[in-house]
């Protein structure tokens, strides 16, 4: 199963909640915004979606 991880950079406030919660280190901070640089590792757990108060993250099965 593969997952597509997207961050809406307009909504992201850079609080790093997703960076901390992701069990497989999908996210890195780039220019103050979360960037899903390791999206290939995503497990589809949606913990990052739940923790993001800004609703900036979408995870979809592809
Ligand atoms: S869905 Fe889970 S594994 Fe995938 S990026 Fe979010 S926290 Fe990480």
């Amino acid at each position: 199963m593969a997952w597509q991880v997207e961050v809406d950079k307009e909504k992201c406030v850079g609080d790093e909640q997703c960076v901390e919660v992701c069990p497989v280190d999908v996210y890195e901070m780039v220019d103050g915004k979360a960037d899903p640089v390791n999206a290939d590792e995503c497990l589809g757990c949606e913990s990052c979606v739940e923790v993001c108060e800004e609703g900036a993250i979408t995870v979809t099965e592809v």
Side-chain angles (χ1 to χ4, degrees):
M1 225 179 304
W3 304 89
Q4 182 176 348
V5 183
E6 290 177 297
V7 176
D8 185 335
K9 297 278 166 48
E10 300 291 316
K11 293 181 179 175
C12 179
V13 296
D15 63 10
E16 303 189 29
Q17 295 294 309
C18 56
V19 178
E20 289 171 25
V21 78
C22 181
V24 288
D25 295 331
V26 162
Y27 297 97
E28 285 181 11
M29 296 304 290
V30 178
D31 295 332
K33 307 278 183 178
D35 199 338
V37 291
N38 299 313
D40 288 352
E41 303 293 322
C42 178
L43 307 170
C45 69
E46 300 202 354
S47 297
C48 55
V49 176
E50 289 169 26
V51 81
C52 182
E53 293 173 10
E54 288 71 31
I57 302 173
T58 47
V59 176
T60 46
E61 193 177 344
V62 289

